[in-house]
Amino acid sequence: MKRLALKRVVGEKTRVDINVNIGVAFGPHAYEYMSYLGVVSRDRLSILINSWDEVSMVDRNMIWEDVLVSFTLLLLPYNAF
């Protein structure tokens, strides 16, 4: 996460490929992206929330904006593999 934080300070984004059919990240930065999602969600959401359906739109939007500051998401269809 240190490397990602340094990139964020200088305004550089990390590119992550997303398979839109199954919603899974892949490629060289997929693990970094998934780890970041875990850190952000643990930081911003209560441990008492049982499922994503219980997360408010305000919290979802805050998490989404935070992700977009650090990552560029390239959405690819399944047949692109």
Side-chain angles (χ1 to χ4, degrees):
M1 290 292 130
K2 289 180 184 179
R3 183 175 32 160
L4 187 60
L6 291 173
K7 285 183 177 182
R8 190 174 180 162
V9 168
V10 297
E12 185 179 327
K13 292 185 178 185
T14 302
R15 187 186 118 182
V16 177
D17 300 325
I18 307 286
N19 179 333
V20 295
N21 294 332
I22 57 176
V24 176
F26 67 95
H29 302 290
Y31 182 76
E32 185 177 5
Y33 171 71
M34 290 184 282
S35 295
Y36 186 76
L37 289 177
V39 169
V40 170
S41 62
R42 281 191 298 276
D43 184 47
R44 301 208 182 240
L45 302 177
S46 169
I47 195 168
L48 301 175
I49 295 175
N50 293 320
S51 71
W52 186 249
D53 294 332
E54 296 177 16
V55 177
S56 71
M57 286 307 293
V58 172
D59 288 335
R60 289 181 190 203
N61 288 332
M62 281 188 344
I63 291 171
W64 182 242
E65 292 298 324
D66 197 352
V67 167
L68 291 179
V69 168
S70 298
F71 293 95
T72 298
L73 305 177
L74 180 60
L75 306 176
L76 298 171
Y78 180 73
N79 58 4
F81 302 103

